[in-house]
Amino acid sequence: MKEAKKQYYNTEILNCLIEGDVVSTQQIADAVGMSEKSIRNKIFDINEYLQENDMGIIQKKPRVGMWLECTEEQKQKLQSVLMNRNTVVVKDDDNDRVMELLKIFFKLRPWETITTQRLTEELYLSAPTVLKIIRECEKWLAPYKVKIANEKNRGYRLDCNENEYRVAMKDFIMSDFDNEKIKSNMDYFFYNMDTKLIQKSIIETENEWNYRFTDESFYEIFIYCCIAYQRREIESPKVEDRGEIQILQKYNEYPFTVAIFKKLQEKLHVFFSNEEVLFLAIQMMCSKFIGISAVDETLEQVQKYDNKLIEFVDMSLHVVGNILDVDLSQDEKLKESLIIHLRPTIFRIRHGLSQTNSLVHFIKSEYKTVFRATMSISIMFEEYYGLQLTEDEVGYIVLYIQSALERIKRHFNVLLIADFSRGHAQLLTERLKKSISEIKEIRVMSTHDFKLYGDKTSDVIITQKELDVKDSRIIVIPNLLSDSGIVSLREQINVVLKSRDEKVTSFSPECYPLLDPDLIFVHQKYEDKESLLSFMSSAMAKRGYVSTNFFETVMEREKATTTSIGNNISVTHGAQSEVIEPKLSIAVLDKPIRWNDDEVDLVFLLGFKMTTPEEIKRIQCFYKEYISIIEREENLKKIKSMKSNIDLYKFLIQ
C-alpha cells in the first residue's frame, strides 16, 4: 500500500473516533471502506501512535464497540494534527513490511532480479531498512530451504528448486487464512489467468467424486493448480521415484488429482505433465487435503497396496517391544494407530515437509526410556525408506507406544468378600497380592456389609461362595489358597477386565485427528466463561484450526442457549463456517465458574465441520464415544485429576 493511501486511511479512522462516541468495527469499516479485519489490525498501531504522542487512548469493549478516551487538551492536539493529513505517521508493523517484500520476491520469474534501489522506491523505505527486512524475509523462507541470492550488478532473486518455491508460495498466499486476503493475494499473483474457470473445474471434480473439502483444503488445491498453470512453460516440479510413486498411484489421492488436471486440460486447452499430477497428489497426501480416511478404509488401502508399511510397523513393534521387555505385537489398536500416522509421514519426510512437535522436549524428559527405545525405529526407517526419521516424528510415535504400555500395565482394585477371621483374611490378601502383581489395592468387606452398602469403586469383587447379588464384577473362587484357584482367578479377572474395557474409556483412532495436546488445558484459573472461551478459541486460532471470528460465534451460541449438560460439564461449539480443520479443545478448571444457572469445571469447545462423509462419520464416532466416557464417574474423576495436558491426552487415546 502506498504511503499516501496509508495515511489517508489512518486519518479517516481517527475522524470516526475523535468525537468519543462508541462505534463498532463494522461501522468504521463501512465509513472508511476497508474490511473489519484490516480495521482491527490498524487500530492497534493507531492506538500506539496516540499514546506515544499524548493524544489519548482507544478503549474497547467486546460486543459493545470502541471509543477514544482523551482530555479536551488532547482532543485539540489531535484535531490540529488531522487538519494536516500528512502528519498522521503511524508506525508500520514490521511483519507487514516482510509480507510486502515477500510478495515482490514471489512475483519475480526465475531469471528476474530486483535492486535495493527499486525496493526502496516501491516500499517507501530507506536502504538500511530494506536490508533489515530482507534478513527477516530470509528467516521466513528458511524452513522451505528458499534463499535470497544477491547477484552483483543485478540485484536480488529467490534461489530454490521448483518444489520448494511452490510450497513456500502456497503458504505465503494462505499465511493469513482470511478469504478476503487470500483472494487479494491470488488476484495479485494470478491476474493474467481465468482463476474462476480453474475454481469451477475443481468444484465439478469435487462433486463428481463426492468429496467435500474444508475451505483450507480447497484453497490449497486451487492455489497449486493456479501455480501449475502459470509456471507450466517455466519449470515443472521434480518428483523422484524412490519407491513410493507406484504405491501413491494406487491411493485415492492420485486418481482424484488426475481427474482435476484432465478437466483443466479440457477447459484451458493446455497440457500438464505427469510431474504436475504427481506433485499435487503428494501434497494432498502430505497435507491430508481430504482428511484421514475412515480407519477401516485406510487400513484396507494399506493392506491392499502397501505391504512394506505393514511389515515396517510389525517389525518396529517387535523391536521396541523386545527393548522394553513387553509384547506390543498383539496390540491391534497400537498397530492401527501407527499405520494411520506413518502413511502420510513417509511422504512428508520424503518431500521435506516433516511436522514440528512442540511437545518433543517434554516427551524426551518424561518418557525417556520409551523415547530411547523408539529411536531404534529411526535406523529401521532409514533402512526401509532411505529417510531420516526426525526426533519430532519420533515424539509422536512415542505417545502411541506409551499409551499402549499403560494399557498393558493397567492396575486394578479388588474387593475381597470375607466372612472369616481377620487372620484368614490377611492371609488371602497377601496371597492375592503376591500372585497377581497387577492388583493395586485390596479391601476386605463382609457379605452383610456388601449387601447393605454395596461397592462402586472396585474393578473386581472376589468371594469364596455364591452371593445373591447381580454384579458382573463378582468372581467366585472356593479354593483361593490353592494354585489351581489362583490360575482360575487370573483367567476370570481377565474376562471381567476385558468386559469392563469394552465400555468406552477413551477415544478410538477414528477420533485421534480431533485431538491436539496443545489444545488441552488443565489446572486453569478463570473467573468467567467469556474469558475462558476467548482463551480456548484463541489457542485454536493460533494453531490455524479456526478463524479469528470463531470466538464470536461461540459467544452467540452461549447467548442463545445454555451449554452446560450437568456434572459440572459444558459442551459448546462455534459456527462450522469459521472452522478450518476440525479440532477439539478441553479445559479443566481448578474451581468451578458460573455457567448461566449452573457451575462448570470441565469445558469441551468443539470446532467441528460435517461437510464430507468422512467428517460426518468421525464426528458421529466422537459423540458416541464422548458420551460413554463422561457418563462414567471414574472417568470424570480421572480427567479432573490429571496433572498435565500430556497425561489427559494419553488418557483420551489409551
Side-chain angles (χ1 to χ4, degrees):
M1 188 183 290
K2 297 293 188 289
E3 193 67 26
K5 195 173 183 181
K6 289 182 181 180
Q7 303 316 321
Y8 167 78
Y9 283 128
N10 294 333
T11 301
E12 292 302 304
I13 291 171
L14 283 168
N15 279 326
C16 293
L17 294 166
I18 194 167
E19 293 305 323
D21 297 327
V22 178
V23 290
S24 66
T25 308
Q26 184 63 60
Q27 288 174 316
I28 297 177
D30 292 340
V32 176
M34 299 182 77
S35 69
E36 282 190 80
K37 185 177 181 65
S38 298
I39 294 295
R40 283 193 290 268
N41 291 337
K42 281 188 165 294
I43 286 295
F44 179 85
D45 294 327
I46 291 174
N47 201 24
E48 280 195 345
Y49 165 79
L50 291 173
Q51 293 179 67
E52 287 174 1
N53 292 276
D54 191 28
M55 288 187 288
I57 184 172
I58 298 174
Q59 300 285 9
K60 290 178 281 186
K61 189 172 183 180
R63 299 190 308 281
V64 175
M66 65 184 76
W67 64 94
L68 177 63
E69 189 172 282
C70 62
T71 64
E72 190 60 30
E73 182 180 347
Q74 289 172 325
K75 182 178 178 181
Q76 289 176 4
K77 183 178 179 180
L78 179 57
Q79 286 174 328
S80 175
V81 168
L82 292 176
M83 289 178 67
N84 183 357
R85 292 174 182 262
N86 292 330
T87 62
V88 185
V89 183
V90 176
K91 181 176 62 177
D92 277 336
D93 184 352
D94 281 349
N95 185 62
D96 288 342
R97 290 170 170 171
V98 170
M99 302 311 279
E100 284 296 318
L101 185 50
L102 284 170
K103 185 183 284 189
I104 293 171
F105 280 130
F106 277 119
K107 195 156 186 190
L108 294 175
R109 298 196 175 198
W111 57 84
E112 293 178 330
T113 59
I114 188 167
T115 63
T116 305
Q117 179 62 35
R118 271 190 58 197
L119 290 173
T120 61
E121 292 170 356
E122 291 195 28
L123 297 174
Y124 290 88
L125 298 172
S126 66
T129 303
V130 167
L131 294 176
K132 176 187 173 185
I133 301 303
I134 287 175
R135 288 194 292 271
E136 293 301 315
C137 289
E138 289 175 329
K139 292 179 183 178
W140 192 97
L141 293 166
Y144 304 96
K145 299 179 182 177
V146 177
K147 299 178 181 178
I148 299 176
N150 186 7
E151 296 185 1
K152 190 174 182 180
N153 299 325
R154 294 193 69 229
Y156 296 97
R157 65 175 178 82
L158 292 183
D159 180 14
C160 57
N161 67 39
E162 185 66 14
N163 298 36
E164 293 162 350
Y165 170 85
R166 294 191 182 200
V167 175
M169 185 177 182
K170 182 268 296 180
D171 282 355
F172 173 81
I173 293 174
M174 297 186 64
S175 56
D176 185 2
F177 193 75
D178 174 87
N179 288 353
E180 183 181 322
K181 188 68 176 291
I182 292 174
K183 185 179 183 304
S184 173
N185 283 335
M186 294 189 72
D187 289 343
Y188 176 82
F189 288 113
F190 310 125
Y191 63 92
N192 59 345
M193 71 176 72
D194 190 347
T195 54
K196 289 186 178 178
L197 186 60
I198 294 175
Q199 186 179 36
K200 183 179 178 182
S201 299
I202 298 170
I203 293 173
E204 288 177 358
T205 311
E206 186 182 17
N207 292 334
E208 290 168 6
W209 281 66
N210 196 28
Y211 281 138
R212 291 293 180 270
F213 297 116
T214 63
D215 290 346
E216 182 180 25
S217 299
F218 181 86
Y219 272 119
E220 289 185 338
I221 296 172
F222 186 15
I223 292 167
Y224 275 130
C225 287
C226 289
I227 294 174
Y229 178 78
Q230 184 185 65
R231 297 179 69 85
R232 69 193 185 283
E233 295 178 355
I234 298 175
E235 191 171 353
S236 294
K238 302 292 188 296
V239 181
E240 296 183 34
D241 188 353
R242 300 178 185 173
E244 277 75 49
I245 298 304
Q246 286 185 326
I247 295 172
L248 171 65
Q249 291 174 335
K250 296 174 182 178
Y251 281 112
N252 287 341
E253 285 84 349
Y254 180 80
F256 178 77
T257 309
V258 171
I260 290 178
F261 277 112
K262 183 179 180 181
K263 195 173 289 290
L264 288 175
Q265 288 181 163
E266 293 172 354
K267 292 183 179 292
L268 299 172
H269 308 292
V270 296
F271 173 76
F272 292 102
S273 66
N274 188 48
E275 283 76 13
E276 294 287 1
V277 177
L278 287 171
F279 177 78
L280 182 54
I282 288 167
Q283 302 311 310
M284 285 186 175
M285 181 75 83
C286 295
S287 300
K288 305 175 188 175
F289 280 117
I290 302 170
I292 297 177
S293 306
V295 172
D296 291 342
E297 181 184 338
T298 300
L299 294 175
E300 183 181 341
Q301 282 187 304
V302 172
Q303 289 164 359
K304 187 176 181 181
Y305 302 129
D306 201 347
N307 291 326
K308 187 176 181 180
L309 176 56
I310 296 172
E311 181 182 299
F312 173 75
V313 170
D314 286 339
M315 182 61 70
S316 297
L317 295 181
H318 175 73
V319 170
V320 175
N322 282 345
I323 293 172
L324 298 173
D325 195 25
V326 63
D327 183 10
L328 297 173
S329 62
Q330 303 304 310
D331 193 326
E332 292 299 321
K333 187 173 183 178
L334 174 60
K335 188 180 295 187
E336 291 176 7
S337 300
L338 290 180
I339 287 173
I340 292 169
H341 176 80
L342 287 170
R343 176 176 171 247
T345 296
I346 293 164
F347 286 89
R348 280 200 306 271
I349 298 175
R350 171 77 72 202
H351 299 279
L353 300 170
S354 185
Q355 290 187 130
T356 57
N357 186 345
S358 62
L359 302 171
V360 70
H361 295 299
F362 176 90
I363 292 168
K364 289 170 69 175
S365 172
E366 293 297 313
Y367 313 129
K368 60 179 66 175
T369 302
V370 178
F371 186 87
R372 291 166 183 170
T374 307
M375 282 299 291
S376 63
I377 293 178
S378 299
I379 301 172
M380 294 172 50
F381 194 78
E382 186 172 354
E383 180 183 342
Y384 269 74
Y385 296 101
L387 301 171
Q388 295 290 335
L389 194 63
T390 67
E391 69 171 17
D392 292 298
E393 297 287 1
V394 171
Y396 287 114
I397 297 171
V398 167
L399 289 177
Y400 290 116
I401 294 176
Q402 182 67 32
S403 296
L405 291 175
E406 293 182 14
R407 282 199 298 273
I408 293 171
K409 296 178 180 179
R410 191 176 297 161
H411 293 83
F412 54 89
N413 296 321
V414 169
L415 175 67
L416 176 62
I417 306 296
D419 290 321
F420 24 70
S421 69
R422 182 177 298 178
H424 191 186
Q426 184 66 35
L427 176 62
L428 286 175
T429 298
E430 294 301 322
R431 167 78 166 160
L432 292 173
K433 284 184 177 180
K434 183 178 180 180
S435 303
I436 305 176
S437 60
E438 295 89 347
I439 294 178
K440 181 179 180 181
E441 179 186 7
I442 299 179
R443 292 187 301 113
V444 180
M445 183 182 290
S446 68
T447 303
H448 175 268
D449 287 345
F450 176 70
K451 290 183 177 180
L452 186 62
Y453 302 111
D455 174 85
K456 294 183 178 180
T457 60
S458 300
D459 300 299
V460 174
I461 300 171
I462 301 173
T463 176
Q464 290 187 290
K465 61 182 181 180
E466 294 288 344
L467 300 176
D468 187 19
V469 176
K470 287 187 177 181
D471 193 316
S472 60
R473 297 172 297 168
I474 294 176
I475 298 174
V476 181
I477 304 291
N479 52 339
L480 270 176
L481 289 176
S482 67
D483 290 341
S484 61
I486 291 296
V487 171
S488 177
L489 174 61
R490 182 177 285 279
E491 291 175 352
Q492 292 190 54
I493 284 177
N494 289 334
V495 173
V496 170
L497 293 181
K498 184 177 180 181
S499 175
R500 179 199 68 175
D501 289 344
E502 286 175 355
K503 298 176 182 178
V504 178
T505 60
S506 61
F507 290 110
S508 63
E510 180 79 22
C511 296
Y512 289 176
L514 300 174
L515 299 169
D516 182 338
D518 285 335
L519 296 180
I520 296 175
F521 309 99
V522 300
H523 298 300
Q524 296 299 299
K525 297 176 176 62
Y526 280 88
E527 299 297 325
D528 59 86
K529 69 175 181 179
E530 184 172 344
S531 56
L532 172 62
L533 292 174
S534 175
F535 165 73
M536 297 172 75
S537 299
S538 296
M540 297 175 79
K542 286 177 182 176
R543 300 279 290 172
Y545 299 133
V546 299
S547 75
T548 53
N549 296 326
F550 181 73
F551 170 65
E552 294 177 13
T553 65
V554 172
M555 294 311 299
E556 286 174 7
R557 174 167 174 75
E558 289 297 322
K559 288 180 183 177
T561 182
T562 180
T563 58
S564 60
I565 61 171
N567 287 349
N568 298 109
I569 303 172
S570 169
V571 183
T572 188
H573 65 262
Q576 281 197 65
S577 59
E578 304 302 329
V579 176
I580 299 167
E581 181 181 342
K583 283 294 178 205
L584 160 71
S585 180
I586 303 172
V588 183
L589 300 165
D590 283 342
K591 293 182 180 179
I593 59 176
R594 177 58 57 183
W595 210 277
N596 295 344
D597 295 331
D598 295 325
E599 286 193 334
V600 162
D601 59 9
L602 177 59
V603 179
F604 294 84
L605 176 56
L606 316 180
F608 288 171
K609 286 179 81 90
M610 299 180 71
T611 53
T612 69
E614 290 83 2
E615 287 173 346
I616 292 171
K617 185 176 180 181
R618 184 173 294 121
I619 301 309
Q620 288 175 338
C621 176
F622 165 81
Y623 276 109
K624 180 180 178 181
E625 294 176 352
Y626 154 79
I627 291 170
S628 296
I629 290 170
I630 66 169
E631 281 183 345
R632 301 187 70 189
E633 187 65 32
E634 57 267 38
N635 286 339
L636 287 178
K637 287 180 180 178
K638 288 178 181 177
I639 289 172
K640 294 178 182 181
S641 66
M642 293 295 172
K643 294 180 180 179
S644 72
N645 61 327
I646 295 293
D647 290 337
L648 182 47
Y649 176 72
K650 282 166 38 192
F651 174 74
L652 294 175
I653 67 169
Q654 67 183 0

